[in-house]
Amino acid sequence: MLENIKRCCAAQGLTIQQLEEKAQIAAGTIGRWGKDGKLMPSVDKVKRVADTLGVTVDDLLKEDAE
C-alpha cells in the first residue's frame, strides 16, 4: 500500500508530508504503515488518504497498481 500511495503522490506532485496534512493524519503516520507491517492503518485513515488522492481504497490496496 505504501508504494501505491507514494506513486499517487508523485503523480500529483505531493510529498507524503503534504498528503498527511491534507488528509488530516498525524505527521509520520503514513511512512510507518510500510515499516515491518507492524502499524496497520484504520479503514478511516485509508479512506481519507484515498479521497485526498482522488483514488479508490482498492487502488491503494492493489499489489501491482500502476
Side-chain angles (χ1 to χ4, degrees):
M1 178 172 59
L2 182 58
E3 290 306 313
N4 294 339
I5 292 171
K6 287 179 181 179
R7 196 175 299 119
C8 290
C9 282
Q12 296 185 29
L14 288 173
T15 65
I16 294 291
Q17 293 79 16
Q18 289 169 324
L19 173 61
E20 288 170 333
E21 189 174 306
K22 286 182 172 213
Q24 299 179 345
I25 294 173
T29 299
I30 293 174
R32 288 192 303 270
W33 291 350
K35 295 190 189 248
D36 303 327
K38 291 182 181 177
L39 180 62
M40 298 301 294
S42 68
V43 173
D44 175 61
K45 287 182 181 168
V46 174
K47 177 85 169 99
R48 279 193 272 159
V49 167
D51 289 347
T52 301
L53 291 171
V55 299
T56 66
V57 170
D58 285 344
D59 291 332
L60 296 181
L61 298 178
K62 287 179 189 172
E63 289 192 33
D64 291 319
E66 291 292 325

